[in-house]
Amino acid sequence: MKVLLLAESASDFSRVLESCNAEIHRLTERQALGVDLTAYDAYCVLGTGKRMDPRIRQVLEAEAAGGKHLFAEAVGSLRGIYSGNPTDTTRRRLIYVEPRDGNGIPGLTTGDLLDDQANSAMNPWYQVPDYKPLLVYKTQIIAHDHLNASAEEILQGGSSGLWMLGESIMMTSFRLRNYNKARFAPRESWEKLIRFVAAWITGSQPAYLPEPTVRYGAPFAAESFDACRRRSIEAGIGWLKRYLVDEGRCGVAEGLRHNVDPDGNQARTDVIRSDCSGETAGALKMYARLYGDETARQYAENLDGFVFGPMQVKGGLFDGMIRWTDDAWEVCYQDDVARCILSGLYECLFMGKDTHFGDICRALDFLVRTTAQDGCRVPRTDSPGMDENSFKALAAAEHGCHSAHYNAYYHAALLLAYKHGGNPTYLEVGRKGLETLMALYPDTVREQSETEEMCRLVLPLAALYDVTGEASHREMLYRVVKDLETHKHPSGGYREWDTGYKASFSRESSGECSLLTENGDPVADLLYSTNWLPVGFAYAYHVTRDEWFRMLWREVVGFCMSAQVFSEDPDTNGSWCRAFDMERRVAYGCPHDVGWAAYASESGWTNAEILMGMMLPDILENGNSNVS
């Protein structure tokens, strides 16, 4: 078979076609104008933009009318189909529909979800009589990988993604050609589709499918756990260093957005956050301490200078307040502040250096002054419009926000600061706050999921037991971790779960969204849940000396190593994505979140927290780097 491939350049899909048992001639449109197009048996048009040259289109449509196969990718006008301009597909999902004649894509069933990341699609204005849909775009699809709906329900209100016109024309509204570079997911579903399309064009199955551009899991599994762990740490630290701004003197960039464009380029987010900067400093400090990296030590000092310099208010009513970001200059979230300063408290307690302890106490004093009587604070404060009366009202309020997401790490920071400096106010507020949360547990105020609330409580409860030694506080720690273990996956990660779907963002599809679509889905959240556990389990083992916690630490670290991104692209190599499908063992999850969806990678929340958790046992054991 002789196939004309019209494309301006090679791509993932063109290479697949070239591996088929067919004679593939790849030409640009300009080159094709001087060629007898009727001499070909089939046609594939890739990447020409919105319109095809009318001189070529006329011939190809005539050949297709005679029965030859014509595949067209993202062509806005062809044989009765006329489409609008390209629109963003980031928060739309493709759903497979089995055609009534049964001649569909082998291995796919009606309702299967296929995500094309941050693509663009040209939606047809209308359909023609012999239109047969195969993939349909819909918005606000709350499902992990399959939508339980009939073909009729899926088609209602959907827009065209992939379709047939009669038996001889197949079209897409979206850009397919670099599906591998763009990390279309789930991979196995897309490979079934790619095989189907390639065979439809060429009459034969492809002999080649491209290797993934990213792989998940350290490529040194034959080595010992500690050797793998060190290499994983080195890769992660290397990633963090690449996101420093002026070597840390102006903080660290937030990381990677979830958007992966049709050619595989992932967008960065260059917002400078205090929490990410403080957490990154912590990872770099531990790395410098354990492995003697003086550059990492200097970068960490630069980050501390940034956090406790321009990002902390000095003097006046708001003395000690740590700003949220370089943009949200007047906003203060106590959870973000806590994560920002916890790394400094680890340094004070376990690395023999307390240079910034005074600055840490100033930050905590500001938070304490705005904390309610039950030891919990409102989710955030915005300084414009606040005065002395505002402070008094916050402190006199009976209740703050009863959420581990917003308050538990604040309590942990108070308790560790008490452990180092002995301020009884810190113990009183930290203890009262955690006891308030545990009196409501498991029905605390949830943001993402019940799993998140459990994960967020492990470190704070371990710190509470550490400073009080009370049996009731030990029981709280064990209660939460035992509950959490009911959601553990054999991989070592933890399923998102939300009894009653009570979390603010649970089963949402607009704004900020949980990864949770149905309880039991095999998805781990490395932005809001599982990422906190390496630090939490390490500290729980430190204070209880219970081997169970060390086993849990080892297993969750093993999971994190298996979920780490390795790639030729330095922007992603060594990082972690937010969502990880623990069955498929790839990054994949509900893509709706407005800024932090499945492929997002936060320098602080995700990467630095996981790295600190990997190293913390060594730090707690006074530099012994052979914990196993």
Side-chain angles (χ1 to χ4, degrees), residues 69 106 193 239 248 308 358 361 373 385 393 469 480 496 508 552 612 627:
H69 283 189
L193 183 145
W239 186 87
F308 297 115
C361 291
Q373 294 296 302
V480 168
E496 287 298 286
E508 282 292 319
L552 295 179
M612 283 193 287
V627 172

Side-chain angles (χ1 to χ4, degrees), residues 251-254 271-278 306-307 311 323-326 336 339 596 602 605:
V252 67
E254 186 174 3
V271 172
I272 309 297
R273 298 176 57 129
S274 295
D275 52 354
C276 291
S277 299
F306 172 73
V307 168
M311 299 307 285
R323 309 180 191 280
W324 182 24
T325 76
D326 58 342
D336 292 34
R339 287 181 286 100
W596 299 274
E602 288 278 299
W605 294 60

